[in-house]
Amino acid sequence: MGKTIKIRVPGTSANCGPGFDSLGVSCTIYNDLELTLLHEPALQIFVEGEGVDNIPTDDRNLAWKSIQTLLRHCKADEEYKGAIIRMKNGIPLSRGLGSSAAAIVGALKAANVLLGNPLDRRGLLKIATDLEGHPDNVAPAIFGGFTVSLLNDGIPECFSFMPRLLLNLVVAVPDFHLSTKAARSALPLDVPLKDAVFNVGRAALLVGALLKGNAAFLRNAFDDALHQPYRAKLIPGMYDVFRAAKEAGALGVAMSGAGPCIIAFTTDSMDAIGHAMTEAFHRNGVEAHFLTLGIDKRGAHIVK
Ligand code: HSE
């Protein structure tokens, strides 16, 4: 049997309000993926924790597909034809916390390490973005921190930084799933210029205020006109939850990725904000719980 490696990958929240498909943040909630590459064409996949009843343990498994992509890319698919994969998942599935990005990034990083690191993090970002379709979850999963990512002629670029203020994350997790595909199909092909202008200013303000550590500017920086208004119908009570979070003291609040989780950004009052958000969901007939998280600094890394 070959060598085994274990990788820890953070969950992520994409968009962060105005940064549709561009901004993301790495959260202190994790999946562990342990990989052994095999020379023979055998596949064993074990799943524990979140997604235990939903994640396929055969050829359809996203982590395995990602490993195969990396092996082909590095011309190692003749040498390694099988794998043993153990997934221990803390990130809820299909809720907007980057569970598929974590599966992809954990698998790519593990296979890359076992091959002797032929790719650097930018190389991993390219393959991960191709697999995920957009860079805003895989970038923070790889680099940690707050990330600005974009595609330049199909090549992803990413800038990662830690905000210069202690920003905490309160995530309200409703008890239903929403696929990214369904949430993306709610979006229009074109948006009004005034909505684009609304977001450009706020996305720039958000990054500037985080880099400066200016909490006062953040109060207007998390709003969005490009995707949330079209997706609101998919999340009962979304704007009530937004209001409740702000009234309880949040600096800003947004859909987490494509939802249905709602994320509040705050410097304090985390529990009060979490209770206010879940109560607002309950008033709209939706069961929910909340997570109080920080910003993960490291991104995907080896666990000794
Ligand atoms: N930027 C993506 C979206 C994130 O909002 O559709 C979802 O993974």
Side-chain angles (χ1 to χ4, degrees):
M1 197 176 314
K3 275 199 283 189
T4 297
I5 192 88
K6 192 199 269 191
I7 301 294
R8 182 158 294 163
V9 195
T12 51
S13 181
N15 302 329
C16 303
F20 180 71
D21 277 2
S22 310
L23 300 182
V25 64
S26 181
C27 310
T28 52
I29 184 168
Y30 299 94
N31 283 0
D32 285 350
L33 184 142
E34 192 179 278
L35 173 66
T36 308
L37 288 175
L38 303 174
H39 298 296
E40 62 276 16
L43 180 63
Q44 288 182 55
I45 300 177
F46 304 93
V47 182
E48 261 181 68
E50 296 286 344
V52 66
D53 297 324
N54 308 88
I55 294 176
T57 53
D58 54 23
D59 268 349
R60 294 166 302 162
N61 183 278
L62 183 57
W64 172 233
K65 285 186 182 177
S66 307
I67 291 162
Q68 287 178 301
T69 304
L70 187 125
L71 291 175
R72 276 194 300 273
H73 181 91
C74 296
K75 303 198 180 352
D77 53 324
E78 284 301 314
E79 187 179 356
Y80 295 109
K81 294 191 163 70
I84 303 170
I85 304 169
R86 294 178 196 279
M87 305 169 81
K88 202 167 173 185
N89 295 340
I91 306 169
L93 232 59
S94 299
R95 304 288 175 84
L97 283 174
S99 59
S100 64
I104 292 169
V105 168
L108 293 180
K109 174 115 184 158
N112 191 51
V113 173
L114 289 178
L115 293 184
N117 289 311
L119 298 176
D120 61 12
R121 293 199 292 184
R122 292 194 177 272
L124 293 178
L125 178 64
K126 168 80 176 87
I127 300 181
T129 301
D130 289 345
L131 288 164
E132 175 86 338
H134 39 85
D136 53 339
N137 283 110
V138 293
I142 293 172
F143 291 93
F146 206 98
T147 53
V148 182
S149 52
L150 52 82
L151 292 174
N152 201 0
D153 283 337
I155 307 295
E157 290 181 10
C158 168
F159 161 57
S160 155
F161 64 95
M162 282 303 283
R164 291 187 68 179
L165 75 172
L166 184 66
L167 196 66
N168 293 310
L169 315 170
V170 184
V171 181
V173 186
D175 74 343
F176 66 93
H177 298 115
L178 178 56
S179 76
T180 299
K181 197 170 164 206
R184 287 184 91 82
S185 66
L187 301 177
L189 289 179
D190 299 299
V191 293
L193 181 63
K194 71 172 176 32
D195 291 346
V197 172
F198 181 100
N199 273 51
V200 169
R202 281 161 182 78
L205 180 68
L206 177 52
V207 173
L210 290 173
L211 281 168
K212 274 271 200 187
N214 186 324
F217 277 131
L218 287 177
R219 290 203 179 274
N220 292 317
F222 288 99
D223 296 332
D224 161 77
L226 291 187
H227 72 110
Q228 293 178 172
Y230 305 100
R231 289 170 159 174
K233 58 177 186 268
L234 304 172
I235 306 178
M238 185 179 95
Y239 287 119
D240 283 344
V241 179
F242 280 18
R243 250 188 312 275
K246 283 231 173 180
E247 282 168 12
L251 290 170
V253 56
M255 282 176 76
S256 183
C261 281
I262 309 259
I263 184 164
F265 300 85
T266 184
T267 47
D268 50 27
S269 314
M270 294 174 82
D271 283 339
I273 293 168
H275 286 297
M277 292 169 83
T278 50
E279 279 160 23
F281 261 133
H282 295 162
R283 283 197 297 280
N284 284 274
V286 177
E287 277 305 312
H289 68 280
F290 69 92
L291 306 168
T292 52
L293 305 173
I295 300 182
D296 165 87
K297 291 182 191 149
R298 298 178 71 181
H301 59 275
I302 298 170
V303 181
K304 297 284 180 211

